[in-house]
């Protein structure tokens, strides 16, 4: 098995160091995901850029963004991201019932949010090969055509992190350990 480094700011390449410094400024520590991604400055920059775009340039609320992220995390079996995003949702005051539904892959009580969860699930499972009815259901729930494409942004964001964590077996940060998650068999 190939082992990947969990870099520190000091061990990272010159191109990754400022990106890790920015992570430390933003979070108060360098998340292990970023430290692993630092092996490839291109990956780390791409991840941080897409995350920023998803967080700040979509028309989605924090809860809606997390529904997309967590649905992908669960379907992709990413234990690191499930724990990390659970912590993010708790800090962002996402309702506990929504968090539980996302971790378990069960229906969200709010019909609009459930429509978004189901749509994000279809985008992931069907690899974007949607039927008109899939899109119409999302639109009927009160979302827009922009939302269709914003879900793709969120899915791409999670591919970057989920696949990195699978390949590198990224160790869970201590701060996320209380929200450890294991996929169903």
């Amino acid at each position: 098995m190939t082992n990947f480094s969990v870099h520190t700011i000091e061990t990272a390449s010159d191109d990754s160091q400022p990106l890790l410094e920015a992570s430390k400024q933003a979070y108060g520590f360098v998340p292990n995901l970023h430290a692993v991604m630092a092996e490839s400055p291109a990956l780390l920059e791409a991840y941080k850029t897409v995350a920023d775009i998803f967080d700040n340039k979509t028309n989605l609320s924090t809860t809606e963004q997390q529904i997309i992220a967590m649905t992908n995390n669960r379907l992709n079996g990413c234990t690191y991201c499930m724990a990390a995003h659970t912590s993010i949702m708790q800090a962002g005051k996402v309702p506990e019932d929504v968090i539980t539904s996302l971790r378990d892959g069960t229906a969200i009580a709010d019909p609009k949010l459930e429509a978004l969860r189901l749509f994000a699930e279809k985008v992931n499972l069907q690899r974007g090969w949607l039927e008109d009815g899939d899109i119409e259901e999302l639109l009927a729930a009160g979302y827009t055509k922009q939302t269709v494409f914003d879900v793709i942004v969120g899915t791409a964001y999670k591919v970057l992190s989920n696949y990195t964590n699978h390949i590198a077996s990224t160790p869970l940060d201590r701060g996320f350990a209380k929200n450890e998650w294991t996929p169903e068999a």
Side-chain angles (χ1 to χ4, degrees), residues 6-35:
V6 179
H7 287 281
T8 63
I9 294 169
E10 296 74 30
T11 66
S13 69
D14 290 345
D15 290 337
S16 287
Q17 286 179 353
L19 298 167
L20 292 181
E21 286 283 0
S23 295
K24 186 174 182 181
Q25 288 292 324
Y27 303 108
F29 69 105
V30 175
N32 286 339
L33 171 63
H34 298 195

Side-chain angles (χ1 to χ4, degrees), residues 60-123:
L60 302 166
S61 70
T62 299
T63 297
E64 291 167 330
Q65 291 168 352
Q66 292 304 316
I67 287 169
I68 296 162
M70 286 290 282
T71 298
N72 280 280
N73 293 338
R74 183 183 56 77
L75 291 172
N76 293 336
C78 187
T79 57
Y80 180 95
C81 286
M82 286 295 286
H85 280 268
T86 298
S87 299
I88 291 166
M89 288 188 299
Q90 290 166 339
K93 308 291 187 225
V94 172
E96 190 61 40
D97 66 308
V98 172
I99 295 171
T100 300
S101 291
L102 293 169
R103 286 176 62 91
D104 295 344
T106 57
I108 298 172
D110 180 302
K112 184 176 182 183
L113 297 179
E114 175 61 6
L116 180 63
R117 184 189 73 80
L118 289 173
F119 186 77
E121 190 171 90
K122 288 174 184 177
V123 168

Side-chain angles (χ1 to χ4, degrees), residues 153-172:
V153 174
T155 301
Y157 155 60
K158 294 319 304 172
V159 164
L160 291 167
S161 60
N162 294 168
Y163 290 15
T164 297
N165 291 322
H166 295 334
I167 290 168
S169 298
T170 308
L172 193 58

Side-chain angles (χ1 to χ4, degrees), residues 164-182:
T164 297
N165 291 322
H166 295 334
I167 290 168
S169 298
T170 308
L172 193 58
D173 298 273
R174 246 182 320 157
F176 304 145
K178 69 179 188 221
N179 292 312
E180 190 171 4
W181 176 84
T182 305

